[in-house]
Amino acid sequence: AACPGGFPGLVINGFAASVRPSWSPNATDEAGQALNFSFVFVEGDAEVFSFVAVDAGSGSLTLCPAPERNGMLTLALILSDDGGTSDGGIDQWASANITFIIREMNDPPTFLVPEHTVGFVLQDSGSVLLPGFVTNVSAGPRYSREEMQQLTFKLTFVDSSPLDVGMALFGGGVPEVG
């Protein structure tokens, strides 16, 4: 199932089994009732998911974790029918609390190398700085614990035969050749 924003959702088939309008298989007068699952917030971070639903026909649970969110969320799952409550009818089954835990994950760091970046280094010139060689360096999404991570760069030359020097990038995105 697709989540808002086009992200793939997690579908758990058979999450709700034996879904029917009555606890009794002999209640033929309730056979045509439409069923609907709903959730009520109990506790935790209500924004951990962008979408949560249970399909009453298949019993499948669809979860859409919100981007860059983690934490715990407890919801009460309620099954209702459209039979109403006249004549002492009951149109809502007792709820069941379900707790979800979304663990944080380490997103990869990101950076940009501007297009057409060329650095000229004269032979025997010693160390050379190339300002702006790497830009937009980020340890991870804003407001995440990843902002505190220390980044290091490792350069690998595909064809290093013309270069007899080592190259290292320092925190400001400036390579040093020497």
Side-chain angles (χ1 to χ4, degrees):
C3 295
F7 298 104
L10 172 65
V11 177
I12 302 173
N13 293 316
F15 171 78
S18 301
V19 178
R20 56 182 184 263
S22 173
W23 61 270
S24 171
N26 299 325
T28 56
D29 61 324
E30 296 186 20
Q33 293 178 358
L35 300 174
N36 182 51
F37 280 103
S38 61
F39 287 97
V40 175
F41 174 80
V42 176
E43 67 177 328
D45 183 353
E47 296 181 11
V48 164
F49 291 104
S50 60
F51 180 77
V52 179
V54 175
D55 181 286
S58 67
S60 295
L61 170 67
T62 301
L63 301 168
C64 297
E68 306 305 335
R69 296 294 295 217
N70 60 72
M72 187 265 319
L73 172 64
T74 300
L75 298 173
L77 175 64
I78 301 168
L79 177 62
S80 303
D81 64 38
D82 65 351
T85 57
S86 61
D87 297 325
I90 300 171
D91 65 352
Q92 202 173 75
W93 192 255
S95 66
N97 285 358
I98 303 166
T99 299
F100 301 95
I101 298 173
I102 302 294
R103 293 197 171 112
E104 75 183 307
M105 91 184 245
N106 187 15
D107 291 307
T110 58
F111 65 93
L112 295 174
V113 176
E115 220 176 297
H116 308 295
T117 299
V118 177
F120 295 99
V121 178
L122 300 175
Q123 184 176 356
D124 301 325
S125 64
S127 294
V128 175
L129 297 178
L130 300 174
F133 181 76
V134 175
T135 62
N136 297 331
V137 178
S138 172
R142 196 168 179 201
Y143 306 116
S144 70
R145 292 185 195 178
E146 293 163 1
E147 291 178 318
M148 304 305 290
Q149 293 177 354
Q150 182 176 351
L151 299 176
T152 57
F153 286 84
K154 177 182 177 183
L155 294 177
T156 304
F157 293 102
V158 176
D159 179 9
S160 62
S161 59
L163 298 172
D164 293 326
V165 296
M167 187 178 233
L169 289 178
F170 289 93
V174 180
E176 181 179 317
V177 178

